[in-house]
Amino acid sequence: MTHIKKYIFPITFLAFIGISYVLNFAAGEQIGINFWMFFKEMIFFLPLMFVLIGLFDVWIPREKIERHIGAESGWKGTGLVILLATLQAGPLYGAFPFAYILWKKGCSIKNIFIYLGAFSTLRFQ
C-alpha cells in the first residue's frame, strides 16, 4: 500500500488529463498540452545541460573560480557573475545545477545569489 501512495498524484493527474480529453474539457486539455510541451523541453534540454556542467566541472580548475568570483573577488567578481548569468542560455531550472558547481568550486555565496538573481531577471535574447 505504501508504494502505491507515491504514485497517487501522477496517476490522478494522468486520469484527469484523459477524462478531460474524453469529455472535451478545454481547461484539462490545455493542461495536458502545456505539460507535454514542458516535458519535451526538459527531456531535450536536461541531458545537454548536465554534459556541459560536467565539462565545466572537469575543465575549469577550482583556483580560477576562487580567484575570479570567490570571496575576495569584490566588485570585479560580481560583474563577472552578472555577465555570465546574462549570457547563459536555457530555463531557470538549468541555473541551479550550475550554481551548485560554482559553489563547489569556491564561488562566494554572495556571487551565487547574484548569479541566480541575474539569471532570472537579466537576459539577452
Side-chain angles (χ1 to χ4, degrees), residues 54-73:
L55 291 173
F56 177 83
D57 190 21
V58 172
W59 287 347
I60 307 296
R62 179 181 175 93
E63 296 79 29
K64 274 195 174 181
I65 298 295
E66 286 176 343
R67 182 176 28 173
H68 292 294
I69 56 176
E72 302 297 322
S73 64

Side-chain angles (χ1 to χ4, degrees), residues 27-38:
E29 291 174 358
Q30 189 61 44
I31 290 170
I33 291 168
N34 288 344
F35 172 77
W36 181 244
M37 285 177 15
F38 291 132

Side-chain angles (χ1 to χ4, degrees), residues 39-99:
F39 181 76
K40 285 191 311 187
E41 177 184 324
M42 286 183 63
I43 290 299
F44 292 130
F45 180 74
L46 282 177
L48 176 63
M49 181 193 67
F50 284 128
V51 166
L52 291 174
I53 288 173
L55 291 173
F56 177 83
D57 190 21
V58 172
W59 287 347
I60 307 296
R62 179 181 175 93
E63 296 79 29
K64 274 195 174 181
I65 298 295
E66 286 176 343
R67 182 176 28 173
H68 292 294
I69 56 176
E72 302 297 322
S73 64
W75 289 101
K76 179 183 168 188
T78 301
L80 285 172
V81 169
I82 290 172
L83 182 65
L84 175 67
T86 57
L87 296 176
Q88 188 176 345
L92 182 59
Y93 58 80
F96 290 104
F98 189 71

